Coordinates of all heavy atoms in Angstrom, one line a residue:
M162 N 34.1 -15.1 -1.3 CA 34.9 -14.4 -0.3 C 34.4 -13.0 0.0 O 34.0 -12.2 -0.9 CB 36.3 -14.2 -1.0 CG 37.1 -15.4 -0.8 SD 38.6 -15.1 0.1 CE 39.8 -15.6 -1.1
N163 N 34.3 -12.7 1.3 CA 33.8 -11.4 1.7 C 34.9 -10.6 2.5 O 35.6 -11.1 3.3 CB 32.6 -11.7 2.7 CG 31.4 -11.9 1.9 OD1 31.2 -11.4 0.8 ND2 30.4 -12.6 2.5
R164 N 34.9 -9.4 2.1 CA 35.8 -8.5 2.8 C 34.9 -7.8 3.8 O 33.8 -7.4 3.5 CB 36.3 -7.3 1.9 CG 37.3 -7.8 0.9 CD 37.7 -6.7 0.0 NE 36.5 -6.2 -0.8 CZ 36.1 -5.0 -0.8 NH1 36.7 -4.0 -0.1 NH2 35.1 -4.6 -1.6
T165 N 35.2 -7.8 5.1 CA 34.4 -7.2 6.0 C 34.9 -5.9 6.5 O 36.0 -5.7 7.0 CB 34.2 -8.1 7.3 OG1 33.7 -9.4 6.8 CG2 33.1 -7.6 8.2
V166 N 34.1 -4.9 6.1 CA 34.4 -3.5 6.5 C 33.2 -3.1 7.5 O 32.3 -3.9 7.5 CB 34.4 -2.6 5.3 CG1 34.9 -1.2 5.6 CG2 35.2 -3.1 4.1
K167 N 33.3 -2.0 8.2 CA 32.2 -1.7 9.1 C 30.9 -1.8 8.5 O 30.7 -1.2 7.4 CB 32.3 -0.4 9.8 CG 33.6 0.3 9.8 CD 33.3 1.8 10.3 CE 34.3 2.7 9.7 NZ 34.2 4.1 10.1
G168 N 30.0 -2.5 9.1 CA 28.6 -2.5 8.6 C 28.3 -3.5 7.5 O 27.2 -3.5 7.0
G169 N 29.3 -4.3 7.1 CA 29.0 -5.3 6.1 C 30.1 -5.3 5.0 O 31.2 -4.8 5.3
S170 N 29.8 -5.8 3.9 CA 30.8 -5.9 2.9 C 30.5 -4.9 1.8 O 29.6 -5.0 1.0 CB 31.1 -7.3 2.4 OG 30.4 -7.7 1.3
M171 N 31.4 -3.8 1.8 CA 31.1 -2.7 0.9 C 31.9 -2.9 -0.4 O 33.0 -3.5 -0.4 CB 31.6 -1.4 1.5 CG 31.0 -1.1 2.9 SD 29.2 -1.0 2.9 CE 29.1 0.6 1.9
A172 N 31.3 -2.4 -1.5 CA 31.9 -2.5 -2.8 C 31.8 -1.2 -3.5 O 30.8 -0.4 -3.2 CB 31.3 -3.6 -3.6
T173 N 32.7 -0.8 -4.3 CA 32.5 0.4 -5.1 C 32.5 0.0 -6.6 O 33.4 -0.8 -7.0 CB 33.7 1.4 -4.9 OG1 33.6 1.7 -3.5 CG2 33.5 2.6 -5.7
K174 N 31.5 0.4 -7.3 CA 31.4 0.1 -8.7 C 31.2 1.3 -9.5 O 30.5 2.2 -9.1 CB 30.2 -0.9 -8.8 CG 29.8 -1.2 -10.2 CD 30.1 -2.6 -10.6 CE 29.7 -2.8 -12.1 NZ 30.6 -3.7 -12.8
T175 N 31.9 1.4 -10.6 CA 31.7 2.6 -11.5 C 30.7 2.3 -12.6 O 30.9 1.3 -13.3 CB 33.0 3.0 -12.1 OG1 33.9 3.3 -11.0 CG2 32.9 4.3 -12.9
L176 N 29.7 3.1 -12.7 CA 28.7 2.9 -13.7 C 28.8 4.0 -14.8 O 29.1 5.1 -14.5 CB 27.3 3.0 -13.1 CG 26.9 2.2 -11.9 CD1 25.5 2.6 -11.4 CD2 26.9 0.7 -12.3
K177 N 28.6 3.6 -16.0 CA 28.6 4.6 -17.1 C 27.2 5.0 -17.3 O 26.3 4.2 -17.4 CB 29.1 3.9 -18.5 CG 30.5 4.0 -18.7 CD 30.9 5.3 -19.4 CE 32.4 5.5 -19.6 NZ 32.7 6.9 -19.9
I178 N 27.0 6.3 -17.3 CA 25.6 6.9 -17.3 C 25.4 7.7 -18.6 O 26.3 8.5 -19.0 CB 25.4 7.8 -16.1 CG1 25.9 7.2 -14.8 CG2 23.9 8.3 -16.1 CD1 24.9 6.6 -13.9
Q179 N 24.3 7.4 -19.3 CA 24.0 8.1 -20.5 C 22.9 9.1 -20.3 O 22.0 8.9 -19.5 CB 23.5 7.1 -21.5 CG 23.3 7.6 -22.9 CD 22.8 6.5 -23.8 OE1 21.7 5.9 -23.7 NE2 23.6 6.1 -24.8
G180 N 23.1 10.3 -20.8 CA 22.1 11.3 -20.8 C 22.3 12.5 -19.9 O 21.5 13.5 -19.9
M181 N 23.4 12.5 -19.2 CA 23.7 13.7 -18.3 C 24.3 14.8 -19.1 O 25.3 14.6 -19.8 CB 24.6 13.3 -17.1 CG 24.1 12.2 -16.2 SD 25.1 12.1 -14.7 CE 26.6 11.5 -15.4
T182 N 23.8 16.0 -19.0 CA 24.3 17.1 -19.7 C 24.7 18.3 -18.9 O 25.4 19.2 -19.3 CB 23.2 17.7 -20.7 OG1 22.0 18.0 -20.0 CG2 22.9 16.6 -21.8
C183 N 24.3 18.4 -17.6 CA 24.7 19.5 -16.8 C 24.7 19.1 -15.3 O 24.4 18.0 -15.0 CB 23.7 20.7 -17.0 SG 22.0 20.3 -16.4
N184 N 25.0 20.1 -14.4 CA 25.1 19.8 -13.0 C 23.7 19.4 -12.4 O 23.7 18.6 -11.4 CB 25.7 21.0 -12.3 CG 27.2 21.0 -12.4 OD1 27.8 20.0 -12.4 ND2 27.7 22.2 -12.5
H185 N 22.7 19.8 -13.0 CA 21.4 19.4 -12.5 C 21.2 17.9 -12.7 O 20.7 17.2 -11.8 CB 20.3 20.2 -13.3 CG 18.9 19.8 -13.0 ND1 18.3 20.3 -11.8 CD2 18.0 19.0 -13.6 CE1 17.1 19.8 -11.8 NE2 16.9 19.0 -12.8
C186 N 21.7 17.4 -13.8 CA 21.6 15.9 -14.1 C 22.4 15.2 -13.0 O 22.0 14.1 -12.5 CB 22.1 15.6 -15.5 SG 21.2 16.4 -16.8
V187 N 23.6 15.7 -12.8 CA 24.5 15.1 -11.8 C 23.8 15.0 -10.4 O 23.9 14.0 -9.8 CB 25.8 16.0 -11.7 CG1 26.7 15.5 -10.5 CG2 26.6 15.9 -12.9
M188 N 23.1 16.1 -10.0 CA 22.4 16.1 -8.8 C 21.3 15.0 -8.8 O 21.2 14.3 -7.8 CB 21.7 17.5 -8.6 CG 22.7 18.6 -8.3 SD 23.4 18.5 -6.7 CE 22.0 19.1 -5.8
R189 N 20.6 15.0 -9.9 CA 19.5 14.0 -9.9 C 20.0 12.6 -9.8 O 19.4 11.7 -9.1 CB 18.7 14.2 -11.2 CG 17.8 15.4 -11.2 CD 17.0 15.5 -12.4 NE 16.2 14.3 -12.6 CZ 14.9 14.3 -13.1 NH1 14.4 15.4 -13.4 NH2 14.3 13.2 -13.2
V190 N 21.1 12.3 -10.6 CA 21.6 10.9 -10.6 C 22.2 10.6 -9.2 O 21.9 9.5 -8.7 CB 22.6 10.7 -11.7 CG1 23.4 9.4 -11.6 CG2 22.0 10.8 -13.1
S191 N 22.9 11.5 -8.6 CA 23.5 11.1 -7.3 C 22.5 11.0 -6.2 O 22.5 10.1 -5.4 CB 24.6 12.1 -6.9 OG 24.1 13.4 -6.8
K192 N 21.4 11.8 -6.3 CA 20.3 11.7 -5.4 C 19.6 10.4 -5.5 O 19.3 9.7 -4.5 CB 19.4 12.9 -5.6 CG 18.6 13.2 -4.4 CD 17.8 14.5 -4.6 CE 16.6 14.7 -3.6 NZ 15.8 15.8 -4.0
A193 N 19.3 10.0 -6.7 CA 18.6 8.7 -7.0 C 19.4 7.5 -6.5 O 18.9 6.6 -5.9 CB 18.4 8.6 -8.5
L194 N 20.7 7.6 -6.8 CA 21.6 6.4 -6.3 C 21.7 6.4 -4.8 O 21.6 5.3 -4.2 CB 23.0 6.6 -7.0 CG 23.0 6.3 -8.5 CD1 24.4 6.7 -9.0 CD2 22.8 4.8 -8.7
R195 N 21.8 7.5 -4.2 CA 21.9 7.5 -2.7 C 20.7 7.1 -2.0 O 20.7 6.7 -0.9 CB 22.4 8.9 -2.2 CG 23.8 9.2 -2.4 CD 24.2 10.5 -2.0 NE 25.6 10.8 -2.5 CZ 26.0 12.0 -2.7 NH1 25.3 13.1 -2.5 NH2 27.3 12.2 -3.2
A196 N 19.5 7.2 -2.7 CA 18.2 6.9 -2.2 C 18.0 5.4 -2.1 O 17.1 4.9 -1.5 CB 17.1 7.6 -2.9
V197 N 18.9 4.6 -2.9 CA 18.7 3.2 -2.9 C 19.2 2.6 -1.5 O 20.3 2.9 -1.1 CB 19.5 2.5 -4.0 CG1 19.5 1.0 -4.0 CG2 19.1 3.0 -5.4
P198 N 18.4 1.8 -0.8 CA 18.8 1.3 0.5 C 20.1 0.5 0.4 O 20.2 -0.4 -0.5 CB 17.6 0.5 0.9 CG 16.5 1.0 0.2 CD 17.0 1.4 -1.1
G199 N 21.1 0.8 1.2 CA 22.3 0.1 1.2 C 23.4 0.8 0.5 O 24.6 0.5 0.6
V200 N 23.1 1.9 -0.3 CA 24.1 2.7 -0.9 C 24.6 3.7 0.1 O 23.9 4.4 0.8 CB 23.5 3.5 -2.2 CG1 24.5 4.5 -2.7 CG2 23.1 2.5 -3.2
Q201 N 26.0 3.7 0.2 CA 26.6 4.6 1.2 C 27.0 5.9 0.5 O 26.9 7.0 1.1 CB 27.9 3.9 1.7 CG 28.5 4.6 2.9 CD 29.8 4.0 3.2 OE1 30.7 3.9 2.4 NE2 29.9 3.5 4.4
D202 N 27.5 5.9 -0.7 CA 27.9 7.1 -1.4 C 27.8 6.9 -2.9 O 27.9 5.8 -3.4 CB 29.3 7.4 -1.0 CG 29.7 8.8 -1.3 OD1 28.8 9.7 -1.5 OD2 31.0 9.1 -1.4
A203 N 27.6 8.1 -3.6 CA 27.6 8.0 -5.0 C 28.3 9.3 -5.5 O 27.9 10.4 -5.1 CB 26.2 8.0 -5.6
K204 N 29.4 9.2 -6.2 CA 30.1 10.3 -6.7 C 29.9 10.3 -8.3 O 30.4 9.4 -8.9 CB 31.6 10.2 -6.4 CG 31.9 10.4 -4.9 CD 33.4 10.5 -4.7 CE 33.7 10.7 -3.2 NZ 33.5 9.5 -2.4
V205 N 29.3 11.3 -8.7 CA 28.9 11.4 -10.2 C 29.9 12.4 -10.8 O 30.1 13.5 -10.4 CB 27.5 11.8 -10.4 CG1 27.1 11.8 -11.8 CG2 26.6 10.8 -9.6
D206 N 30.4 12.0 -12.0 CA 31.3 12.8 -12.7 C 30.7 13.1 -14.1 O 30.5 12.2 -14.9 CB 32.7 12.0 -12.9 CG 33.8 12.9 -13.6 OD1 33.5 13.6 -14.5 OD2 34.9 12.9 -13.1
L207 N 30.4 14.4 -14.3 CA 29.7 14.8 -15.5 C 30.6 14.6 -16.8 O 30.2 14.1 -17.8 CB 29.3 16.3 -15.4 CG 28.6 16.9 -16.6 CD1 27.3 16.1 -16.9 CD2 28.3 18.3 -16.3
Q208 N 31.9 15.0 -16.6 CA 32.8 14.9 -17.8 C 33.0 13.5 -18.3 O 33.1 13.3 -19.5 CB 34.2 15.5 -17.4 CG 34.2 16.9 -16.9 CD 33.7 17.9 -17.8 OE1 33.8 17.8 -19.0 NE2 32.9 18.9 -17.4
K209 N 33.1 12.6 -17.3 CA 33.4 11.2 -17.7 C 32.1 10.4 -17.9 O 32.1 9.3 -18.3 CB 34.1 10.5 -16.6 CG 35.6 11.0 -16.4 CD 36.2 10.1 -15.4 CE 37.6 10.6 -15.0 NZ 38.0 9.9 -13.7
S210 N 30.9 11.0 -17.6 CA 29.6 10.3 -17.6 C 29.7 9.1 -16.8 O 29.2 8.0 -17.2 CB 29.2 10.0 -19.0 OG 29.1 11.2 -19.8
E211 N 30.2 9.2 -15.6 CA 30.3 8.0 -14.7 C 29.8 8.3 -13.3 O 29.8 9.5 -12.9 CB 31.8 7.6 -14.6 CG 32.4 6.9 -15.7 CD 33.8 6.6 -15.6 OE1 34.5 7.0 -14.6 OE2 34.4 6.0 -16.5
A212 N 29.4 7.3 -12.6 CA 29.0 7.4 -11.2 C 29.8 6.3 -10.5 O 29.7 5.1 -10.8 CB 27.5 7.2 -11.1
A213 N 30.5 6.7 -9.5 CA 31.2 5.7 -8.6 C 30.3 5.5 -7.4 O 30.1 6.4 -6.6 CB 32.6 6.2 -8.2
V214 N 29.8 4.3 -7.3 CA 28.8 4.0 -6.2 C 29.4 3.1 -5.2 O 29.9 2.0 -5.5 CB 27.5 3.4 -6.8 CG1 26.4 3.3 -5.7 CG2 27.0 4.2 -8.0
T215 N 29.4 3.5 -3.9 CA 29.8 2.6 -2.8 C 28.6 2.1 -2.1 O 27.7 2.8 -1.7 CB 30.7 3.4 -1.9 OG1 31.8 4.0 -2.6 CG2 31.3 2.5 -0.8
F216 N 28.5 0.8 -2.1 CA 27.3 0.2 -1.5 C 27.6 -1.2 -0.8 O 28.7 -1.7 -0.9 CB 26.3 -0.1 -2.6 CG 26.8 -1.0 -3.7 CD1 26.5 -2.3 -3.8 CD2 27.6 -0.4 -4.8 CE1 27.0 -3.1 -4.8 CE2 28.1 -1.2 -5.8 CZ 27.8 -2.6 -5.8
D217 N 26.6 -1.6 0.0 CA 26.7 -2.8 0.8 C 26.3 -4.0 -0.2 O 25.1 -4.0 -0.5 CB 25.8 -2.7 2.0 CG 25.9 -3.9 2.9 OD1 26.4 -5.0 2.4 OD2 25.6 -3.8 4.1
E218 N 27.2 -4.8 -0.5 CA 26.9 -5.9 -1.5 C 25.8 -6.8 -1.0 O 25.2 -7.5 -1.8 CB 28.2 -6.7 -1.7 CG 29.2 -6.0 -2.6 CD 30.4 -6.9 -2.8 OE1 31.0 -7.3 -1.8 OE2 30.7 -7.2 -4.0
S219 N 25.7 -6.9 0.3 CA 24.6 -7.9 0.8 C 23.2 -7.3 0.7 O 22.3 -8.0 0.8 CB 24.9 -8.2 2.3 OG 24.8 -7.1 3.1
K220 N 23.2 -6.0 0.4 CA 21.8 -5.3 0.4 C 21.5 -4.8 -1.0 O 20.3 -4.6 -1.3 CB 21.8 -4.1 1.3 CG 21.8 -4.5 2.8 CD 21.8 -3.2 3.6 CE 22.0 -3.5 5.1 NZ 22.5 -2.3 5.8
V221 N 22.5 -4.5 -1.9 CA 22.2 -3.9 -3.1 C 22.6 -4.8 -4.3 O 23.7 -5.3 -4.4 CB 23.0 -2.6 -3.2 CG1 22.6 -1.8 -4.5 CG2 22.7 -1.7 -2.0
E222 N 21.6 -4.9 -5.2 CA 21.9 -5.6 -6.5 C 22.2 -4.5 -7.5 O 21.5 -3.5 -7.5 CB 20.7 -6.5 -6.9 CG 20.5 -7.7 -6.1 CD 19.2 -8.3 -6.3 OE1 18.6 -8.2 -7.4 OE2 18.6 -8.9 -5.3
L223 N 23.0 -4.8 -8.5 CA 23.3 -3.9 -9.5 C 22.1 -3.4 -10.3 O 22.0 -2.3 -10.7 CB 24.4 -4.4 -10.5 CG 25.8 -4.4 -9.9 CD1 26.7 -5.1 -10.9 CD2 26.3 -3.0 -9.6
G224 N 21.2 -4.3 -10.4 CA 20.0 -4.0 -11.2 C 19.2 -2.9 -10.5 O 18.5 -2.1 -11.2
K225 N 19.3 -2.8 -9.2 CA 18.6 -1.8 -8.4 C 19.2 -0.4 -8.7 O 18.5 0.6 -8.7 CB 18.6 -2.0 -6.9 CG 17.6 -3.1 -6.5 CD 17.5 -3.2 -5.0 CE 16.6 -4.4 -4.7 NZ 16.6 -4.7 -3.3
L226 N 20.5 -0.4 -8.9 CA 21.2 0.9 -9.2 C 20.8 1.4 -10.6 O 20.5 2.5 -10.8 CB 22.7 0.7 -9.1 CG 23.3 0.3 -7.7 CD1 24.8 0.1 -7.8 CD2 22.9 1.3 -6.7
S227 N 20.8 0.4 -11.5 CA 20.4 0.8 -12.9 C 18.9 1.3 -12.9 O 18.6 2.3 -13.6 CB 20.5 -0.4 -13.8 OG 21.7 -1.0 -13.7
A228 N 18.1 0.6 -12.1 CA 16.7 1.0 -12.1 C 16.5 2.4 -11.5 O 15.7 3.2 -12.0 CB 15.9 0.0 -11.3
A229 N 17.3 2.7 -10.5 CA 17.2 4.0 -9.9 C 17.6 5.1 -10.8 O 17.0 6.2 -10.9 CB 18.0 4.1 -8.6
V230 N 18.7 4.8 -11.6 CA 19.1 5.8 -12.6 C 18.1 6.0 -13.7 O 17.8 7.1 -14.1 CB 20.5 5.3 -13.2 CG1 20.9 6.2 -14.4 CG2 21.6 5.4 -12.1
F231 N 17.5 4.9 -14.1 CA 16.5 4.9 -15.2 C 15.3 5.7 -14.7 O 14.8 6.5 -15.5 CB 16.1 3.5 -15.5 CG 15.2 3.4 -16.7 CD1 15.7 3.5 -18.0 CD2 13.9 3.2 -16.6 CE1 14.9 3.5 -19.1 CE2 13.0 3.2 -17.7 CZ 13.6 3.3 -19.0
D232 N 14.9 5.5 -13.5 CA 13.7 6.2 -12.9 C 14.0 7.7 -12.8 O 13.0 8.5 -12.9 CB 13.3 5.7 -11.5 CG 12.7 4.3 -11.6 OD1 12.3 3.9 -12.7 OD2 12.5 3.7 -10.5
A233 N 15.2 8.1 -12.7 CA 15.6 9.5 -12.6 C 15.6 10.1 -14.0 O 15.7 11.3 -14.2 CB 16.9 9.7 -11.9
G234 N 15.5 9.3 -15.0 CA 15.5 9.8 -16.4 C 16.8 9.6 -17.2 O 16.9 10.2 -18.3
Y235 N 17.7 8.8 -16.7 CA 19.0 8.5 -17.3 C 19.1 7.0 -17.5 O 18.3 6.2 -17.1 CB 20.1 9.1 -16.5 CG 19.8 10.6 -16.3 CD1 19.2 11.0 -15.1 CD2 20.1 11.6 -17.2 CE1 18.8 12.3 -14.8 CE2 19.8 12.9 -17.0 CZ 19.2 13.2 -15.8 OH 18.8 14.6 -15.6
K236 N 20.3 6.6 -18.1 CA 20.4 5.2 -18.4 C 21.9 4.8 -18.1 O 22.8 5.5 -18.4 CB 20.1 5.0 -19.9 CG 19.8 3.6 -20.3 CD 19.4 3.5 -21.7 CE 19.5 2.1 -22.2 NZ 19.4 2.0 -23.7
V237 N 22.0 3.6 -17.5 CA 23.3 3.0 -17.3 C 23.6 2.2 -18.5 O 22.8 1.4 -19.0 CB 23.3 2.0 -16.0 CG1 24.6 1.3 -15.9 CG2 23.0 2.8 -14.8
I238 N 24.8 2.5 -19.1 CA 25.2 1.8 -20.3 C 26.4 0.9 -20.1 O 27.0 0.9 -19.1 CB 25.5 2.8 -21.5 CG1 26.5 3.9 -21.0 CG2 24.2 3.5 -22.0 CD1 27.0 4.8 -22.1
Ligands
LIG472 CU1 21.0 18.5 -16.8

């Protein structure tokens, strides 16, 4: 089943991120996630160690999000 929103079927998933200690980390993680093609938005919360990522399900696999976070020096747990 697909929900059709403008531009495709968007989904929001919250990822638990390990390794963020300051706002610099938040910037790096959100930048890395937003750079993945198909990602519309990424809201990173330092206190909760979470990233809420909004993306086009037809273009983005979850593995790509984890890989982007890993490449930035952090880990999805
Ligand atoms: Cu930091």
Side-chain angles (χ1 to χ4, degrees):
M162 278 241 236
N163 278 332
R164 290 175 297 124
T165 306
V166 190
K167 343 170 209 179
S170 93
M171 305 300 292
T173 300
K174 171 110 181 141
T175 302
L176 308 173
K177 268 278 177 194
I178 314 257
Q179 189 179 62
M181 297 192 296
T182 55
C183 67
N184 280 323
H185 179 77
C186 301
V187 170
M188 292 285 285
R189 284 183 59 141
V190 171
S191 62
K192 204 172 162 186
L194 288 168
R195 283 179 193 154
V197 176
V200 172
Q201 189 186 62
D202 196 18
K204 292 191 177 70
V205 182
D206 188 316
L207 180 62
Q208 305 300 326
K209 293 185 189 165
S210 300
E211 283 177 357
V214 190
T215 304
F216 58 97
D217 186 336
E218 284 181 303
S219 65
K220 292 181 188 158
V221 183
E222 287 164 33
L223 283 177
K225 284 190 183 166
L226 299 177
S227 308
V230 169
F231 189 78
D232 287 348
Y235 306 92
K236 201 175 163 194
V237 174
I238 50 172

